[in-house]
Amino acid sequence: MQDTFQDLSDLRARLSAAPGPDAQALRAASDRNGQLTKPPGALGRLEDLAIWMGGWQGTDRPRAARPHVVIFAGNHGVTAQGVSAFPAEVTAQMVLNFQAGGAAINQLSRQFGAQMDVYPLDLDRPTADFTQGPAMDEAAFLHALQTGWTAVDPQADLLVTGEMGIGNTTSAAAVALALYGGQADDWVGRGTGVDDAGLALKARVVSEGVARHAGATGLEVLRCLGGRELAGMAGAIARARSLRIPVILDGFICTAAAACLEAETPGALDHCVAGHVSEEPGHARLLAKLGKEPLLRLGLRLGEGSGAALAIGVVQGAVACHSGMATFAEAGVSDG
Amino acid sequence: MQDTFQDLSDLRARLSAAPGPDAQALRAASDRNGQLTKPPGALGRLEDLAIWMGGWQGTDRPRAARPHVVIFAGNHGVTAQGVSAFPAEVTAQMVLNFQAGGAAINQLSRQFGAQMDVYPLDLDRPTADFTQGPAMDEAAFLHALQTGWTAVDPQADLLVTGEMGIGNTTSAAAVALALYGGQADDWVGRGTGVDDAGLALKARVVSEGVARHAGATGLEVLRCLGGRELAGMAGAIARARSLRIPVILDGFICTAAAACLEAETPGALDHCVAGHVSEEPGHARLLAKLGKEPLLRLGLRLGEGSGAALAIGVVQGAVACHSGMATFAEAGVSDG
């Protein structure tokens, strides 16, 4: 029987009671880092990353040998407003592509040795158009969160959550505007490739949606303006926290979903690192709000967890150095 | 019998006659990229990288399954001036660490499936102090270049060159100043960790050395101010070009060595991508002079080929997507 939460108040309680990193392991990993055969600090961010992994995994020898990539797909009622360059049926077509192994995320998962699972979430029942009412009722929202929660392999040593959902940059922009304010223009971008008119339309739709759900906070923002795949990612990220599995955040949509957890419970994303910053302009803003510095800056804007999956390689490099290198004493190298 | 060049004028002739990328393969790889199941441009820099790999490998399906990491080590007479935070015997100690598998580069090579070879270059005979005379005579220089040339596995599909040599950030700074001008302060940095007085000393030593060899250009700069490990890297990078093997440049020292090839023959580094930009401040300047945008910015300053080896993962991700993804037609996905 899967361990899961019963309702939203149970989820909130679990977020509040979630464990932090292991302080003793953090110290031990930091001590080990200081003894490795390199000048102090010479591996730069890789050193911080390995120590952070050690803290969450509760060991001075962290691993990234069993990464798990979980992809959620959902459809969005707001596409009726014409906010995407691609038709909504592409969501289901791409799920078939994921299942057949043909998408970018399949190649990246294989390259970095990750188990990859795909969860299409009621693709034949798009969320409601959020300019008209809440994207999801409580039952649908709870179901998507629970699907995410139970999707995480408890044996994984690293988690990536990804998404597919035509229209979901519009949803993510609405979530970001509701959480952090500003103007809709600050948060909308070209997504899969809308033109200037499409961009203006997205901003208008996002403004309307956020106005419609004014006063929503935390998880309620995710229910009213998000989508099933965003809720799935949030559920998976929350579960990873309860299991102390480190998470690599992907792009704008993943980060918007995650930000609802942070808005609900400050510190809820302490077990998350930003895998990359995407070309979608709202993403850099979101990461700045969350105080997360991206590992990669390569101009990706695909979603699917692709940027985070690419960053698995960086994390694997960091823990390989940290856990595999000889110490000065072991190697008989003079220590400065 | 190894194919190698006979003397410096033969090397110069080979640099001038070196092949470019395969134009037909570049077009085919670009065409393929446009048909893959993703919005146009959505994989950002990974797309350019895969097409570039395809051009050099002469195929629309590039690979990065046989990376080769070649490390050269050398000692520097200029350490007699007190320019390093570590004693010169660390070079030989670290070579033993490489051979025993305990260094950062060993872990990174293993993580990304690279063959790794180490070439200690006459460690018991440091180069001459370049403030007193040329670092190497022609015979020593030729030998180091040829060692690098023959070190490259012709079956490799990607090359990383790395180095170890106490004192070699001073040598690299002198090379950079001789090639590009400016002030010594523009090019010196803290290396393995010198203090402010050490930094001022490095700048003085670099200025003196460059003044002593005023008028040197191209490969002659490398002979007079470089070191055996820099010459080894330059030889390997030149050989990779003759074999059309793409190269990932590492940090400041690797890039300074490579820059001598570019100064000798403009375009000599067209088969090279910058793996990362290091914390050594001269590195970003050097990359700007060469017009190379780094793949990673993670604050590394270790050398050993470590930043380039980490970037193997990025290149592997890029070619995995490019060569493994389904096309819109294959997957039955609607194309925008």
Side-chain angles (χ1 to χ4, degrees):
Chain A
M1 202 174 71
Q2 278 283 3
D3 164 59
T4 187
F5 54 89
Q6 298 309 307
D7 53 27
L8 289 180
S9 64
D10 185 13
L11 175 59
R12 288 187 172 98
R14 291 184 188 224
L15 286 173
S16 294
D22 181 317
Q24 194 176 337
L26 275 176
R27 275 193 304 275
S30 181
D31 285 351
R32 175 171 169 75
N33 179 59
Q35 297 166 28
L36 299 175
T37 44
K38 56 174 183 53
L43 282 172
R45 186 136 185 228
L46 297 191
E47 298 186 15
D48 303 331
L49 201 53
I51 293 166
W52 175 84
M53 290 283 288
W56 287 102
Q57 294 184 356
T59 172
D60 67 342
R61 305 268 184 131
R63 297 162 308 277
R66 292 190 63 165
H68 190 196
V69 173
V70 197
I71 311 297
F72 302 93
N75 273 320
H76 291 259
V78 74
T79 55
Q81 307 251 5
V83 289
S84 178
F86 280 75
E89 51 267 34
V90 167
T91 304
Q93 291 167 349
M94 281 300 295
V95 166
L96 292 175
N97 197 23
F98 296 144
Q99 290 166 342
I105 190 60
N106 298 95
Q107 321 314 317
L108 294 168
S109 296
R110 189 178 307 124
Q111 185 63 48
F112 298 110
Q115 172 192 343
M116 178 188 143
D117 293 308
V118 184
Y119 290 83
L121 299 172
D122 294 323
L123 298 187
D124 52 347
R125 291 191 296 150
T127 54
D129 178 347
F130 62 62
T131 65
Q132 308 300 311
M136 291 168 274
D137 60 25
E138 290 213 0
F141 183 46
L142 189 66
H143 179 69
L145 286 165
Q146 286 175 328
T147 302
W149 182 277
T150 55
V152 178
D153 177 357
Q155 301 305 312
D157 48 28
L158 186 59
L159 180 73
V160 162
T161 64
E163 45 57 45
M164 176 68 215
I166 296 300
N168 68 11
T169 55
T170 302
S171 176
V175 165
L177 179 62
L179 292 178
Y180 297 112
Q183 303 297 316
D185 285 339
D186 299 337
W187 299 107
V188 297
R190 294 185 187 273
T192 52
V194 296
D195 60 13
D196 288 351
L199 195 61
L201 173 65
K202 276 177 84 165
R204 203 160 60 238
V205 167
V206 163
S207 282
E208 268 181 57
V210 172
R212 182 108 173 60
H213 303 287
T217 60
L219 291 175
E220 186 67 1
V221 169
L222 188 57
R223 183 179 77 81
C224 292
L225 296 163
R228 289 189 172 87
E229 77 280 35
L230 280 82
M233 291 190 288
I237 292 166
R239 178 72 183 292
R241 176 57 171 268
S242 79
L243 294 166
R244 276 211 189 128
I245 298 173
V247 173
I248 308 179
L249 297 176
D250 189 41
F252 183 51
I253 300 139
C254 172
T255 306
C260 296
L261 298 175
E262 184 73 22
E264 186 67 42
T265 306
L269 301 184
D270 287 355
H271 66 310
C272 299
V273 67
H276 76 128
V277 59
S278 87
E279 278 294 285
E280 192 69 12
H283 192 210
R285 269 176 214 271
L286 261 187
L287 292 177
K289 294 286 185 189
L290 292 168
K292 305 270 187 205
E293 182 70 23
L295 291 172
L296 299 172
R297 299 172 179 275
L298 293 166
L300 276 65
R301 54 176 173 80
L302 179 60
E304 302 180 4
S306 54
L310 191 64
I312 292 173
V314 175
V315 175
Q316 288 176 329
V319 302
C321 289
H322 181 93
S323 298
M325 281 174 72
T327 62
F328 282 107
E330 285 164 358
V333 173
S334 307
D335 182 2
Chain B
M1 204 176 71
Q2 278 283 4
D3 165 59
T4 187
F5 53 91
Q6 298 311 306
D7 52 27
L8 289 179
S9 65
D10 186 12
L11 174 59
R12 287 188 172 98
R14 291 185 188 225
L15 286 172
S16 294
D22 181 318
Q24 193 175 338
L26 275 177
R27 275 193 305 274
S30 181
D31 286 352
R32 175 171 169 76
N33 180 58
Q35 298 167 28
L36 300 175
T37 44
K38 57 174 183 52
L43 282 172
R45 187 137 184 226
L46 297 191
E47 299 186 16
D48 304 329
L49 200 53
I51 293 166
W52 174 84
M53 290 283 288
W56 287 103
Q57 294 184 355
T59 172
D60 69 342
R61 305 268 184 132
R63 298 162 308 276
R66 292 188 65 165
H68 190 195
V69 173
V70 197
I71 311 298
F72 302 93
N75 272 320
H76 291 258
V78 73
T79 54
Q81 307 252 5
V83 290
S84 178
F86 280 76
E89 52 266 32
V90 167
T91 304
Q93 291 167 351
M94 282 301 295
V95 167
L96 292 175
N97 196 24
F98 296 144
Q99 289 166 341
I105 190 60
N106 296 96
Q107 321 315 315
L108 293 167
S109 296
R110 189 177 307 124
Q111 184 65 47
F112 299 109
Q115 172 192 343
M116 178 187 143
D117 293 308
V118 184
Y119 291 82
L121 299 172
D122 294 322
L123 298 187
D124 52 347
R125 291 192 296 151
T127 54
D129 178 347
F130 61 63
T131 64
Q132 308 299 312
M136 290 168 276
D137 61 24
E138 289 214 2
F141 183 46
L142 188 66
H143 179 69
L145 285 164
Q146 286 175 327
T147 303
W149 182 277
T150 55
V152 177
D153 177 357
Q155 302 304 313
D157 48 27
L158 186 60
L159 180 72
V160 162
T161 64
E163 45 57 46
M164 176 69 215
I166 295 300
N168 69 9
T169 56
T170 302
S171 175
V175 166
L177 178 62
L179 292 178
Y180 297 112
Q183 303 298 317
D185 284 339
D186 298 339
W187 299 107
V188 297
R190 295 185 186 273
T192 51
V194 296
D195 59 14
D196 288 350
L199 194 61
L201 173 66
K202 277 177 83 165
R204 204 159 59 236
V205 166
V206 164
S207 284
E208 268 181 56
V210 172
R212 182 108 174 56
H213 304 286
T217 60
L219 290 175
E220 186 66 3
V221 168
L222 188 56
R223 182 178 78 81
C224 293
L225 297 163
R228 290 189 170 85
E229 77 279 36
L230 281 82
M233 291 189 288
I237 293 166
R239 176 72 183 290
R241 176 56 170 269
S242 79
L243 294 166
R244 277 213 190 125
I245 299 173
V247 173
I248 308 179
L249 298 177
D250 189 42
F252 182 52
I253 300 139
C254 172
T255 307
C260 297
L261 298 174
E262 184 73 23
E264 186 68 40
T265 306
L269 302 184
D270 287 355
H271 66 310
C272 300
V273 67
H276 77 128
V277 59
S278 87
E279 277 295 283
E280 191 69 11
H283 192 211
R285 270 177 214 271
L286 262 187
L287 293 177
K289 294 286 184 189
L290 292 168
K292 305 270 185 205
E293 182 71 23
L295 291 171
L296 299 172
R297 299 172 179 274
L298 293 167
L300 276 65
R301 54 177 173 79
L302 179 60
E304 301 181 4
S306 55
L310 191 65
I312 292 173
V314 174
V315 175
Q316 288 176 329
V319 301
C321 289
H322 181 92
S323 298
M325 282 174 72
T327 63
F328 282 107
E330 286 165 356
V333 173
S334 306
D335 182 3

